[in-house]
């Protein structure tokens, strides 16, 4: 019987000295053996409920197991436009619903996908998709993150003349400016952008919609508009001492390092070299901050979370085939990050105008009948001070601002600061700006649905 491979990272001592991707690539032999673990499944929940894009995972894995990688690529690319992104940054929802989870470990679906798409690029199977005929219509896509790029590609394939507006210097949105290079090499983005440009998609960078160009201009110039602006507003922590120096939003920290790595700027604007770093927030962004801090040479890295420590194995609150609530340890956590749970931050402590610590108090949670945490109380007398020369706030995002392009396009926001759809105006919001902060793969899937609506709207009578 073939076991799941767990050693998928470059050696720790090697990888913490650079920003190259930490994951190694499976060999064809390894991938074939791993994909063969899928072949005796009779109920593919990975495809039916696990993958937001609807990838035909059993057929893809069967082709990999047979060594037919070109056929696997054809099956994969029939449902997924950018497998090179999802195979690197997706948490693999499909693996959470893999049937093997009932009595074993899931199939390595994501790593097989990575082998497929990289083999396809190396062999020249990935080619620009140039429509045989244009429909005479134009589309503006505002934002070039996962949802924006996916929308642009789909609209181009439908025959639209597509222009993508990006506020920053280079396309990619969160893929380029939020996700560390050690998870997604930015040359992977450049490779895809070059293909899209060859297809006729136009990228206009360093142009902020709502500031450099108006909503009125966009509505007048284009037949339809796709707003894919994400959720740029980070959640703050307005407790005493917040104005002290040395407290940063996570995305500012990650963005600066990425821009320095690519040569866009001359130095990282936020350096934690030699400092005791405290990351507040236990999600993926917090993990990314930990890995980046280690590579910058931090003296220590601690990540704290208000929630309780998840169970080591799947919680009863998320039975198969649901995405399991359980402890997840990233490559960054393995690189020297101390993790603490059940801590609520009460105040920042400073010295000479700069943060030097955070006072926390322990939280005590109550759980429902399935073991899911539902509410908490602070435990008196459990206050403690954690030393911190730099604090990184990684507590998620709160939505999109009304001011600017949202207001200029005449769109409404929900109570959660997400965009309310306005198809009657030929304006479609896609991804996080309409659904709230979520995964890149879900943003892509939302773009897929909305672009199908656009196709229906402009279909010949």
């Amino acid at each position: 019987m073939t076991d799941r491979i767990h050693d998928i990272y470059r050696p720790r001592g090697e990888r913490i000295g650079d920003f190259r991707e930490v994951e190694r690539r499976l060999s064809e032999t390894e991938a074939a053996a791993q994909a063969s673990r899928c072949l005796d499944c009779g109920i593919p929940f990975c495809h039916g409920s696990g993958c937001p894009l609807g990838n035909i995972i059993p057929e893809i894995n069967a082709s990999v197991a047979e060594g037919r990688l070109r056929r696997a690529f054809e099956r994969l690319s029939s449902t997924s436009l950018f497998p090179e992104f999802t195979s690197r940054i997706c948490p693999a929802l499909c693996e959470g619903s893999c049937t093997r989870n009932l009595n074993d470990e899931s199939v390595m679906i994501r790593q097989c996908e990575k082998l497929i798409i990289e083999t396809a690029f190396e062999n020249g199977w990935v080619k620009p998709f140039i429509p045989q005929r244009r429909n005479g219509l134009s589309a503006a896509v505002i934002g070039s993150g996962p949802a924006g790029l996916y929308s642009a590609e789909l609209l181009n394939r439908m025959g639209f003349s597509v222009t993508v507006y990006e506020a920053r210097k280079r396309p990619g949105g969160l893929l380029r400016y939020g996700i560390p290079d050690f998870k997604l090499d930015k040359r992977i983005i450049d490779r895809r952008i070059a293909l899209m440009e060859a297809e006729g998609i136009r990228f206009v960078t360093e142009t902020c919609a709502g500031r450099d160009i108006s909503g009125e201009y966009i509505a007048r110039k284009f037949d339809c508009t796709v707003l894919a602006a994400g959720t740029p507003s980070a959640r703050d922590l307005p407790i005493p001492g917040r104005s002290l120096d040395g407290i940063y939003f996570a995305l500012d920290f990650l963005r600066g390092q990425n821009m320095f790595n690519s040569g866009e700027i001359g130095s990282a604007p936020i350096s934690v070299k030699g400092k005791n770093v405290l990351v507040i927030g236990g999600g993926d962004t917090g993990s990314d901050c930990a890995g980046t801090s280690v590579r910058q040479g931090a003296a220590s890295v601690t990540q704290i979370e208000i929630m309780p420590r998840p169970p080591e194995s799947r919680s009863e609150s998320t039975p198969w085939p649901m995405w399991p609530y359980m402890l997840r340890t990233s490559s960054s956590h393995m690189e020297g990050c101390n993790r603490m749970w059940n801590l609520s931050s009460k105040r920042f402590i400073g010295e000479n105008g700069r943060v030097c610590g955070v006072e926390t108090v322990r939280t005590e949670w109550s759980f429902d009948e399935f073991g899911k945490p539902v509410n908490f109380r602070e435990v008196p007398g459990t206050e403690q001070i954690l030393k911190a020369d730099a604090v990184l706030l990684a507590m998620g995002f709160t939505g999109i601002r009304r001011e600017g392009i949202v207001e200029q396009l005449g769109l409404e926001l929900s109570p959660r600061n997400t965009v309310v759809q306005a198809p009657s105006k030929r304006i479609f919001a896609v991804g996080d700006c309409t659904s709230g902060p979520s995964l890149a793969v879900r943003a892509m899937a939302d773009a897929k649905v909305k672009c199908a609506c656009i196709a229906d709207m402009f279909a010949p009578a």
Side-chain angles (χ1 to χ4, degrees), residues 341-454:
W341 286 267
N342 291 93
L343 291 179
S344 176
S345 302
K346 301 302 293 180
R347 66 185 176 102
F348 296 110
I349 299 170
E351 188 175 278
N352 298 322
R354 186 169 186 85
V355 70
C356 64
V358 178
E359 181 183 320
T360 66
V361 64
R362 189 165 65 85
T363 59
E364 186 176 83
W365 287 79
S366 60
F367 299 82
D368 64 18
E369 58 181 317
F370 300 106
K372 184 176 181 179
V374 288
N375 53 61
F376 73 92
R377 71 177 185 90
E378 295 181 353
V379 181
T382 61
E383 293 81 6
Q384 63 176 318
I385 295 175
L386 301 179
K387 184 178 180 180
D389 307 312
V391 177
L392 303 174
L393 304 180
M395 302 178 297
F397 302 89
T398 59
I400 190 170
R401 290 180 290 272
R402 183 183 306 276
E403 300 79 14
I405 192 61
V406 171
E407 189 173 52
Q408 291 177 20
L409 289 175
L411 301 176
E412 296 297 324
L413 293 184
S414 73
R416 296 174 57 237
N417 290 323
T418 56
V419 178
V420 177
Q421 294 295 326
S424 61
K425 298 182 179 182
R426 297 188 175 185
I427 301 170
F428 292 80
V430 301
D432 288 5
C433 71
T434 185
S435 62
S438 189
L439 303 173
V441 67
R442 288 191 175 127
M444 294 177 185
D446 187 55
K448 205 172 186 178
V449 171
K450 302 295 173 50
C451 287
C453 295
I454 294 173

Side-chain angles (χ1 to χ4, degrees), residues 164-325:
V164 181
Y165 292 101
E166 167 58 47
R168 296 199 171 271
K169 187 173 182 178
R170 297 173 184 172
L174 191 67
L175 297 172
R176 185 181 298 278
Y177 292 104
I179 296 173
D181 292 356
F182 57 76
K183 290 172 68 173
L184 174 61
D185 188 324
K186 300 308 176 277
R187 290 174 296 183
I188 302 302
I189 303 174
D190 295 336
R191 182 177 64 183
R192 177 57 67 175
I193 296 299
L195 274 171
M196 296 175 74
E197 289 177 329
E199 295 170 348
I201 298 172
R202 179 172 173 249
F203 289 89
V204 180
T205 58
E206 297 183 280
T207 302
C208 178
R211 184 190 66 197
D212 301 318
I213 54 172
S214 68
E216 185 276 332
Y217 169 84
I218 292 170
R220 173 168 43 85
K221 183 176 175 61
F222 296 94
D223 295 293
C224 75
T225 300
V226 174
L227 180 62
T231 52
S233 299
R235 179 172 283 108
D236 205 347
L237 185 58
I239 58 177
R242 176 63 181 88
S243 62
L244 291 166
D245 291 339
I247 304 170
Y248 312 101
F249 285 118
L251 196 56
D252 292 338
F253 175 62
L254 297 173
R255 181 191 300 121
Q257 182 64 56
N258 284 3
M259 293 170 70
F260 171 56
N261 291 348
S262 68
E264 193 171 327
I265 56 178
S267 62
I270 302 172
S271 173
V272 297
K273 184 177 181 179
K275 296 179 180 179
N276 297 294
V277 178
L278 183 66
V279 181
I280 301 179
D284 288 341
T285 303
S287 167
D288 293 344
C289 286
T292 301
S293 297
V294 167
R295 284 160 178 75
Q296 284 194 357
S300 69
V301 182
T302 300
Q303 183 180 15
I304 65 173
E305 168 63 76
I306 194 172
M307 299 288 289
R309 180 187 174 100
E312 295 286 340
S313 57
R314 181 190 290 266
S315 167
E316 292 183 1
S317 65
T318 53
W320 178 87
M322 295 174 64
W323 178 246
Y325 171 59

Side-chain angles (χ1 to χ4, degrees), residues 75-121:
R75 292 291 181 270
L76 176 60
S77 58
S78 70
T79 55
S80 176
L81 298 180
F82 305 142
E84 67 269 33
F85 299 150
T86 51
S87 65
R88 286 173 165 83
I89 65 171
C90 182
L93 304 179
C94 51
E95 294 183 17
S97 60
C98 175
T99 306
R100 288 199 76 107
N101 277 316
L102 289 172
N103 52 23
D104 193 5
E105 293 184 285
S106 62
V107 175
M108 299 182 77
I109 300 169
R110 183 175 63 81
Q111 283 82 12
C112 288
E113 180 180 331
K114 183 176 179 180
L115 173 66
I116 294 166
I117 187 59
E118 291 307 312
T119 301
F121 271 107

Side-chain angles (χ1 to χ4, degrees), residues 105-164:
E105 293 184 285
S106 62
V107 175
M108 299 182 77
I109 300 169
R110 183 175 63 81
Q111 283 82 12
C112 288
E113 180 180 331
K114 183 176 179 180
L115 173 66
I116 294 166
I117 187 59
E118 291 307 312
T119 301
F121 271 107
E122 290 167 0
N123 286 278
W125 303 338
V126 186
K127 300 182 184 300
F129 188 102
I130 301 174
Q132 294 183 352
R133 184 178 60 185
R134 294 288 177 183
N135 60 13
L137 300 171
S138 60
V141 176
I142 301 171
S144 66
L149 292 181
Y150 215 92
S151 299
E153 179 68 18
L154 283 171
L155 291 170
N156 182 71
R157 294 186 179 206
M158 294 174 192
F160 284 83
S161 295
V162 181
T163 300
V164 181

